[in-house]
Amino acid sequence: MVQPLILWGHALAALLFGVLAVSQVRGAGSALPRLTFLIALGMTALWALAVAGIDDREVAPRLTESLRNLAWLAFMYALVRRGRRATESAAITGIYTIVGLIVLIGLALGLTAEGSAPAFAGVRMVLAMMVAVSALVLVHHLHVAVSPRARDGIRLAVMALAALWLIDLLLTAAAYAGIEDKSPMIAIRGFAVAALAPLFALAVHRNGDWSLRLSRTVTYQSLSLIGIAVYVLSMVLATSAITAWGGGHARIAQTAFVFGSTAAALTLLSSPWLRAWIRVKLAKHLFRHRYDYRAEWVRFTDTLGQPGADAAPLDERIVKAIADLTESPGGVLLVPEEAELGFGAAWNWPADALPSQTGDAALAAFLGASSRIVELDRLRTGHGDPAELASVPIWMLDCTQAWVLVPLVHFGQLTGVILLARPPLDRALDWEDFDLLHIAGRQVASYLAEARAQGALADAQRFDEFNRRFAFILHDIKNLVSQLSLVARNAERHADNPDFRADMIATLKESAGRMNDLLARLSLHHAGGTRTEPPTTIHILPLIERVAAGRRAQHPIVTSGTDDAIIEGDPARLEQVLGHLVQNAIEASPPTEPVTLAISTDGERVAIDVIDRGCGMAPGFVRDQLFRPFVSSKPGGFGIGAFEARQLTAAMGGEVSVTSREGEGTRFRVTLPAARRRAALDAVA
């Protein structure tokens, strides 16, 4: 009966120390205590495994026990030597070297066959007791020698090391005293050493000087493995006891026990409340802080920034991100609507549980002024702040699912409030919860504010696009008004002239046509569309004659050029370009100086010059301001004509250039690609 206990006890110790050693592999190389601690854990696991699988009197357990002692001495030496002066380090090194030599001498004697040298057995046991006593003294020295700030961190490690060598001392003393059957003590040693593994694990978490850390994931996994091992061991012991005392019904009793206990364990572990309770207790007793802030923040930002078309809306992701921090199963986002709060997005919160009207004006004012997280349970029990109680609406207090209110404040402005549902493990918030929720609330408030700012910017861009298009149309209307005003003034002097009347009628028809075209463009712009015409062959000379004829009632215009200037483009756009430039030239010219429209071509490009003898423009104005929208040198000008002319010309693959001298006049040149004749294309083909 004792041998299975020896096997299971030392096997459990090997498992626990092996798991703890694996958890330290990742950071073993960054500091000497880490490396020695890892080696000591591994050698302890190897020694326990050797005792479990081989007789304790064989060579392998003795060899691994000596290596284990050397590893733990190296770990203690690495801790006590940190921060020491050279003289102190030399003395410490000497002491640990002597103890290490004793271990090596005992190892050499242990490797010697007892049958050929029976006298060595007593010497080996004396040396083993000397090692245990020396190690206990060094453990005490370690606790005293480290800085007071670090003692709390190594207290558990000191206790575990002292217990380890105290067990060795008791076993060695019993063997030296002549006790032959040490099997019960060896069996107890296995379980006792296994119990030391959690002490070392706790020491790792509470240390202040080792620079050793276990992640929460590794800790939870390790404890899960320990729980599984304990469960399996309990099953083995229980089924063995049933076999010994169950009689003829032992097999049925074993089956019923294993099935019932397994079903009960699975039922308990599937409970959200129990899982939450276990996590809270482990975080409370194993870690300094409730939260693993790095893991929580990574999960938090991943939830907020979840990409893809299938992702939930931002408002819903914000609620989920806050709820996940406190393991809340659901939540509701309340958004400001004038002076009150309205229902926004909800996550895992049934819509029928929300009232039709919030009535949260007082709550919005209170949270906007205080930015305070409100625990509704404290208000329900009468322990809350009276100001909080006066601001929280009745429907929240009546809803038992409502747990905590988290305000979202950005630059002093309330952007929203998140109402969290009660978590599976009902608890009160502590300072870590408040700090984390405050920081997370400010973060998601910035996300909300950014999303709303982007929406406002998109609206502003749409308005800006509409205003830009309307500004072009308004500029054309201004040109038409100026044209008709000049016609009206000239009509007073030349109304009896038949040629003038003909030009006036042509101008009125052209103005009416342009107004209709503007109305059509405005309709397209209002509908969000644009009108595009397919490129057509344009003979430039008739086009400029048409432009000139429409404005001769305003001002004298001279045209010149050849009939072979042909381009491919949009005639309406080109006429609009020339209309802008001619109108500017008319307004800049004296009444007696005509405006010239001249055409030239070199076979590849067609140039249309608009020349006036007006006041001209300064070089700085031409370079920096002429083609900028809403900048004009004329009183009451919109500054749109030159800008739109350049935009429309560029859309047809051309360019607009200008030459101007103050007091002499201005030349605008519109250059466009010439159209290739069909005959030339056929010849090339």
Side-chain angles (χ1 to χ4, degrees):
M1 186 65 184
V2 177
Q3 289 301 322
L5 294 178
I6 295 176
L7 170 63
W8 284 103
H10 287 83
L12 179 61
L15 173 64
L16 297 182
F17 277 93
V19 170
L20 189 57
V22 169
S23 69
Q24 296 297 311
V25 169
R26 185 174 182 180
S30 60
L32 184 60
R34 288 175 179 258
L35 180 60
T36 55
F37 183 64
L38 171 63
I39 295 174
L41 292 174
M43 294 310 304
T44 304
L46 186 61
W47 162 78
L49 188 62
V51 175
I54 309 173
D55 191 348
D56 190 47
R57 294 168 295 182
E58 298 293 333
V59 174
R62 295 176 183 174
L63 174 62
T64 53
E65 182 179 5
S66 299
L67 295 177
R68 181 208 68 182
N69 291 337
L70 288 174
W72 283 117
L73 288 172
F75 169 65
M76 293 166 56
Y77 173 71
L79 287 181
V80 77
R81 189 175 180 272
R82 295 182 66 182
R84 298 291 171 182
R85 295 191 297 270
T87 55
E88 295 178 346
S89 298
I92 293 171
T93 303
I95 295 173
Y96 275 88
T97 300
I98 294 173
V99 178
L101 289 175
I102 297 175
V103 175
L104 292 175
I105 294 172
L107 173 61
L109 294 177
L111 296 177
T112 304
E114 292 189 5
S116 59
F120 289 164
V123 177
R124 182 180 59 79
M125 286 187 287
V126 172
L127 291 176
M129 287 189 290
M130 290 179 60
V131 169
V133 172
S134 300
L136 289 172
V137 174
L138 292 176
V139 167
H140 178 264
H141 174 263
L142 170 65
H143 184 261
V144 174
V146 298
S147 61
R149 181 176 58 85
R151 287 177 186 172
D152 290 338
I154 69 168
R155 181 175 289 119
L156 292 176
V158 167
M159 293 172 55
L161 289 172
L164 179 67
W165 274 304
L166 183 61
I167 294 171
D168 288 350
L169 178 61
L170 293 176
L171 277 174
T172 308
Y176 188 78
I179 300 176
E180 296 186 2
D181 188 11
K182 301 187 294 297
S183 297
M185 298 182 65
I186 295 175
I188 295 173
R189 179 184 64 179
F191 290 102
V193 173
L196 298 181
L199 288 180
F200 282 115
L202 290 174
V204 168
H205 291 287
R206 295 183 178 180
N207 76 85
D209 201 37
W210 295 7
S211 298
L212 296 172
R213 293 290 184 269
L214 282 174
S215 69
R216 294 176 184 246
T217 302
V218 171
T219 301
Y220 293 151
Q221 292 175 351
S222 302
L223 292 176
S224 299
L225 290 175
I226 294 172
I228 293 172
V230 171
Y231 174 76
V232 172
L233 179 61
S234 302
M235 291 297 101
V236 171
L237 294 177
T239 52
S240 300
I242 291 174
T243 302
W245 298 309
H249 302 287
R251 180 60 59 88
I252 298 176
Q254 288 176 338
T255 303
F257 176 77
V258 172
F259 178 80
S261 59
T262 303
L266 293 176
T267 302
L268 290 175
L269 292 177
S270 63
S271 170
W273 178 88
L274 181 61
R275 292 200 304 269
W277 182 84
I278 292 174
R279 282 194 295 268
V280 169
K281 293 302 180 183
L282 292 179
K284 179 179 180 180
H285 295 289
L286 295 184
F287 303 100
R288 294 182 178 180
H289 302 288
R290 177 190 298 276
Y291 297 100
D292 184 350
Y293 290 101
R294 176 184 175 276
E296 294 293 344
W297 206 248
V298 168
R299 183 177 64 173
F300 179 79
T301 53
D302 285 344
T303 302
L304 288 180
Q306 184 178 3
D310 297 334
L314 176 63
D315 290 0
E316 186 175 336
R317 297 201 309 271
I318 283 176
V319 178
K320 183 180 185 302
I322 294 292
D324 286 342
L325 294 176
T326 56
E327 298 182 349
S328 179
V332 179
L333 174 63
L334 306 176
V335 294
E337 293 181 354
E338 296 180 353
E340 296 188 352
L341 294 173
F343 292 113
W347 176 69
N348 288 347
W349 196 297
D352 55 2
L354 299 174
S356 57
Q357 299 292 332
T358 61
D360 298 335
L363 180 62
F366 173 77
L367 295 180
S370 66
S371 303
R372 187 184 302 177
I373 295 174
V374 178
E375 292 183 89
L376 299 179
D377 286 343
R378 290 178 57 84
L379 301 182
R380 294 186 181 103
T381 56
H383 295 89
D385 189 343
E388 294 179 354
L389 184 60
S391 62
V392 174
I394 298 299
W395 71 267
M396 286 189 186
L397 298 177
D398 293 340
C399 179
T400 58
Q401 186 183 6
W403 182 49
V404 171
L405 284 169
V406 181
L408 311 180
V409 180
H410 182 66
F411 289 129
Q413 297 294 324
L414 186 69
T415 61
V417 180
I418 293 180
L419 175 61
L420 295 178
R422 191 177 305 279
L425 180 63
D426 194 7
R427 61 182 179 84
L429 299 181
D430 59 15
W431 65 270
E432 285 194 76
D433 297 311
F434 284 113
D435 287 347
L436 184 60
L437 289 176
H438 271 301
I439 295 173
R442 288 198 295 268
Q443 183 72 12
V444 299
S446 67
Y447 272 77
L448 273 178
E450 181 182 0
R452 293 170 183 172
Q454 287 179 345
L457 179 61
D459 293 339
Q461 288 175 340
R462 286 192 289 269
F463 276 109
D464 181 68
E465 176 65 17
F466 178 80
N467 292 335
R468 185 182 67 84
R469 291 174 175 176
F470 190 77
F472 292 150
I473 295 174
L474 189 61
H475 177 267
D476 291 342
I477 294 175
K478 172 189 149 312
N479 289 341
L480 287 174
V481 171
S482 299
Q483 182 178 350
L484 294 175
S485 298
L486 286 174
V487 170
R489 285 199 301 268
N490 291 332
E492 296 177 356
R493 298 193 302 268
H494 307 290
D496 296 333
N497 189 339
D499 293 335
F500 175 80
R501 287 199 299 269
D503 290 339
M504 182 178 66
I505 292 172
T507 300
L508 292 175
K509 288 181 178 179
E510 194 231 354
S511 298
R514 292 179 62 190
M515 286 183 179
N516 289 327
D517 183 64
L518 290 177
L519 290 175
R521 287 169 56 194
L522 185 60
S523 299
L524 288 171
H525 293 164
H526 181 70
T530 57
R531 184 181 64 179
T532 59
E533 299 290 345
T536 59
T537 301
I538 304 174
H539 291 268
I540 301 300
L541 186 58
L543 187 141
I544 67 169
E545 290 288 355
R546 186 166 62 250
V547 172
R551 285 169 171 75
R552 282 198 176 101
Q554 299 176 250
H555 193 85
I557 298 177
V558 178
T559 61
S560 65
T562 59
D563 196 25
D564 60 349
I566 304 173
I567 67 167
E568 293 283 339
D570 186 348
R573 285 185 173 182
L574 181 56
E575 188 171 351
Q576 187 177 356
V577 169
L578 295 178
H580 286 317
L581 299 181
V582 170
Q583 185 66 35
N584 288 342
I586 290 173
E587 293 176 357
S589 299
T592 58
E593 292 290 341
V595 173
T596 302
L597 284 174
I599 304 172
S600 61
T601 179
D602 59 5
E604 297 294 330
R605 311 282 288 180
V606 173
I608 307 171
D609 292 327
V610 180
I611 306 168
D612 68 71
R613 301 298 179 185
C615 59
M617 294 176 288
F621 180 83
V622 173
R623 182 184 63 250
D624 300 327
Q625 301 185 33
L626 176 60
F627 293 105
R628 290 180 57 192
F630 311 113
V631 176
S632 177
S633 61
K634 296 177 295 185
F638 286 92
I640 295 295
F643 173 76
E644 187 177 17
R646 172 178 276 187
Q647 295 289 100
L648 294 175
T649 304
M652 293 184 289
E655 61 182 10
V656 176
S657 60
V658 60
T659 303
S660 183
R661 290 187 179 182
E662 291 184 281
E664 296 184 11
T666 303
R667 176 195 298 267
F668 278 93
R669 171 164 289 187
V670 179
T671 306
L672 295 165
R676 297 186 180 272
R677 297 182 181 274
R678 178 60 57 187
L681 294 175
D682 294 340
V684 173

